[in-house]
Amino acid sequence: MSRRELPQPTGLPIPISERFEFVSEKWLETARTFLQSKLDAFNGNPPSGRFAAVETYTDAPPHLDCPNNTATVHIVIENGQLDVGYGDVENPTFHAKGDYNRSLVIGASVYEALPERKERIQRELHHRHGNVLQVSGAGFADVNPDVLKLLAGLHDHLAKRTVGNPDIPHKLTHLDVEARIQEVEENGYTVFERAITESFVEELNEDFDRLIAENGRGKVAAMLLSRGPLWEEVATHPQIHAVAQQLLGADCNLGQSIAFRKPKGADTHQLHNDPPHPHTGELCCNVTTVWALSEFDEDSGPTIVVPGSHKENRPPDQDAKSQAVKLTMPKGSVAMWHGSLWHGAAIRERDGERTSLHNTYLRNWVRTWDNYLEIDPAILERNSPALTTLAGIDDLYGKNTYDGIDFRRMVT
């Protein structure tokens, strides 16, 4: 009997060997190589004039070994000569300065072909942290248009290769979410109030309407990581993702992404805890996030939890509901809990519907509900490596061939 070819998972859009930390030496070398190749294409007749960009990032990770933990990088193109490196330069065309971890979302967002994403990323960043980036200088108005064409594509070329700060505790500190870890460890849950803007909530609800119309089987939409750019951005929300990484490992996967509209009287989720259990001890194997895409108040049918029950490491007691509390929160907020926490949902007592998004993150060796191994390659192409990791594409699980483990796909 001849062997049949096994189905192949989606390949890596960017090999792991070509992924680099933001403003690291290899990141700068990648920028230099990209720009030099475009300059070489002018065949000795490069555009005239000068362009000089300087970016300064404070509180950079200590392992980058920057003076005073401040990374300053520059790109200068002057009459065909290219200079890319560390340090300041005189009379920059523009100079951007901001916190390293907070600014990273811009550096790692692929958006040149998605202008609405650029606006959304900047809007949400300002919502979380205020005015993160201060920009000075003359700007682009007087820059030779041929130089601007030369720069086109640089941002996305780098963003597709930019990995986040691997020092997760450092990242948590500068994203102002250290306390969330302690709350999950002590109580089993935490709430990020108003994690996203009301504008983003409305955009998600509008796209959710589109997906419901496509479904035809009720007011639910699933496999959302592969259903559109908005859901990709939610899954990689910097603060939520960072806390999940601390609890589950930096290489955690997105186990499930599903949204619901819950009507009055619906009893959708009895108290339970999520697998894997029992016998996992204190190890957190999964965390669930519920995004309030409508108001979660006492009568809306909000999530209910039994504080501290994640330490029991067993299914809920019969009378557990008497110990439960309702997680009320404004629209745009996110509740996150330890998978072993006893949790469920109250019955909605009011007319109308409760809208929520459930994103569950898992340790990368825990089996997922959603399967993104055959995800559309175009989705990975328009995101940083963070999304590839969430989809489970860049680990080796479930990717054996008849010839053994396909190590080659990880480096080509």
Side-chain angles (χ1 to χ4, degrees), residues 227-244:
R227 306 294 291 278
L230 293 175
W231 311 101
E232 300 156 17
E233 293 163 28
V234 164
T236 53
H237 183 288
Q239 291 174 315
I240 308 297
H241 188 207
V243 173

Side-chain angles (χ1 to χ4, degrees), residues 372-386:
Y372 296 113
L373 297 184
E374 288 83 38
I375 195 169
D376 184 349
I379 296 173
L380 303 184
E381 286 282 352
R382 64 176 181 238
N383 285 281
S384 75

Side-chain angles (χ1 to χ4, degrees), residues 341-361:
L341 186 75
W342 300 348
H343 61 277
I347 296 174
R348 183 177 177 87
E349 301 173 7
R350 199 172 52 242
D351 291 341
E353 297 174 320
R354 188 205 77 173
T355 307
S356 61
L357 163 69
H358 295 230
N359 277 354
T360 298
Y361 299 86

